[in-house]
Amino acid sequence: MLSIFKSIPSHMDYKGQKLAEQIFQGIILISAVIGFVYGLIIEQFGWTVYIVLAGFVISCVLTLPPWPMFRKNPLSWQPTIPEISGESIQKPQESLKKKKHK
Amino acid sequence: MNTVLSRANSLFAFSLSVMAALTFGCFVTTAFKDRRVPVDVHVSKVMLKNVDDFTGPRERSDLGFITFDLSPIFDWNVKQLFLYLSAEYTTKSNCLNQVLNLRDMKSKYFFFDDGNGLRANKNITLTLSWNVVPNAGVLPLVAGSGQVSLPFPEAYETTKSY
């Protein structure tokens, strides 16, 4: 069952990760301030907790799934060098043997 | 922060830290407040019964019914109140505890005496004090500033059989 979840791609690029972190920290802080002021006015701490939980749910929805806005700066990988299969397998084995003899 | 789990982990940890800070703020705003409140004690009906008490070693005890009004105490840091009603009269003094939920105040109260001392006392002083259980912070024991003295009735009522 877990293989289904692992096959869904959930990566973000680095700028997207930074953006996601800023988003959820900002949302939770804003909902905490709103909740604190509202709870102070009506004098029930339960409402403060409810408002912070609502902020938590909103930031879950905004930052957990990999929205396209988090993938706008993808890393530019080098193009793949086509391999000659015989040489590349032998070379690492030779270098390992040399190290062992030392 | 590359996988969903690591994002979820940091999000949840941050939310908990923020909640802890808010609870501390709640404590700070109410910790130094004076909790003495003038209390109106109305004695709606005073009934004395002589019943068998199953909670303690006493054979017989007396019962009294009292209502009172306490709404100014409840600010946002109060989760529960322990109420002590102490009656002082010439022979001895009793205390009883009642645990109240936050908005439930209109119920009858039992007032047990060790012996048969409640019956013919002409003058009994009732003082209400309480223990505030807050959401966050210290637990003060406060005496209410109103008190009522009243005479208890002379005779016992007949107990009803259920």
Side-chain angles (χ1 to χ4, degrees):
Chain A
M1 203 176 78
L2 271 181
S3 58
I4 300 178
F5 292 112
K6 282 186 183 173
S7 63
I8 302 175
S10 70
H11 57 88
M12 299 175 177
D13 50 49
Y14 292 124
K15 299 233 165 153
Q17 290 174 20
K18 176 178 168 186
L19 178 66
E21 184 168 350
Q22 285 174 345
I23 284 178
F24 80 71
Q25 283 179 352
I27 289 181
I28 290 183
L29 280 178
I30 288 177
S31 67
V33 168
I34 293 177
F36 189 73
V37 169
Y38 185 64
L40 193 61
I41 289 176
I42 69 168
E43 295 199 340
Q44 285 182 16
F45 191 62
W47 277 97
T48 302
V49 177
Y50 294 146
I51 292 177
V52 171
L53 280 182
F56 174 73
V57 167
I58 292 176
S59 55
C60 271
V61 168
L62 276 184
T63 63
L64 285 184
W67 300 111
M69 66 178 168
F70 298 128
R71 288 184 179 176
K72 285 198 177 155
N73 296 25
L75 292 171
S76 56
W77 296 104
Q78 296 282 336
T80 57
I81 302 174
E83 289 183 356
I84 305 172
S85 54
E87 287 183 9
S88 61
I89 292 179
Q90 281 180 7
K91 278 185 185 174
Q93 284 182 354
E94 285 179 1
S95 59
L96 275 177
K97 282 181 187 172
K98 284 181 187 173
K99 284 180 185 174
K100 281 181 188 173
H101 284 310
K102 282 182 183 174
Chain B
M1 299 274 282
N2 205 9
T3 61
V4 177
L5 287 181
S6 111
R7 288 198 290 272
N9 179 30
S10 57
L11 178 70
F12 185 61
F14 185 69
S15 305
L16 279 185
S17 307
V18 164
M19 271 314 296
L22 282 184
T23 309
F24 179 71
C26 168
F27 160 66
V28 161
T29 58
T30 60
F32 306 108
K33 193 176 119 162
D34 188 14
R35 292 194 182 270
R36 281 191 300 270
V37 170
V39 167
D40 267 343
V41 180
H42 304 285
V43 179
S44 64
K45 193 164 66 160
V46 179
M47 253 168 36
L48 270 188
K49 292 182 187 176
N50 215 355
V51 296
D52 284 334
D53 184 19
F54 300 106
T55 64
R58 332 185 251 271
E59 275 192 354
R60 299 271 191 156
S61 47
D62 298 331
L63 270 173
F65 291 103
I66 287 178
T67 64
F68 46 84
D69 174 28
L70 262 188
S71 46
I73 295 184
F74 293 102
D75 60 2
W76 73 341
N77 204 5
V78 175
K79 194 174 71 165
Q80 252 184 7
L81 279 187
F82 277 114
L83 282 177
Y84 299 92
L85 186 64
S86 58
E88 299 172 355
Y89 43 93
T90 55
T91 57
K92 52 186 138 181
S93 78
N94 290 338
C95 281
L96 71 93
N97 299 349
Q98 290 287 336
V99 175
L100 289 183
N101 288 326
L102 200 59
R103 297 281 173 229
D104 173 19
M105 287 196 282
K106 307 266 177 70
S107 47
K108 63 181 181 187
Y109 295 91
F110 294 139
F111 201 41
F112 285 110
D113 187 20
D114 279 338
N116 295 330
L118 273 183
R119 177 165 73 153
N121 248 313
K122 294 291 181 177
N123 186 15
I124 296 184
T125 308
L126 288 170
T127 312
L128 185 65
S129 60
W130 53 82
N131 206 354
V132 180
V133 177
N135 280 325
V138 296
L139 282 81
L141 174 61
V142 175
S145 59
Q147 59 189 22
V148 158
S149 52
L150 52 92
F152 271 92
E154 296 274 329
Y156 288 125
E157 289 203 16
T158 56
T159 59
K160 298 179 187 172
S161 57
Y162 290 98

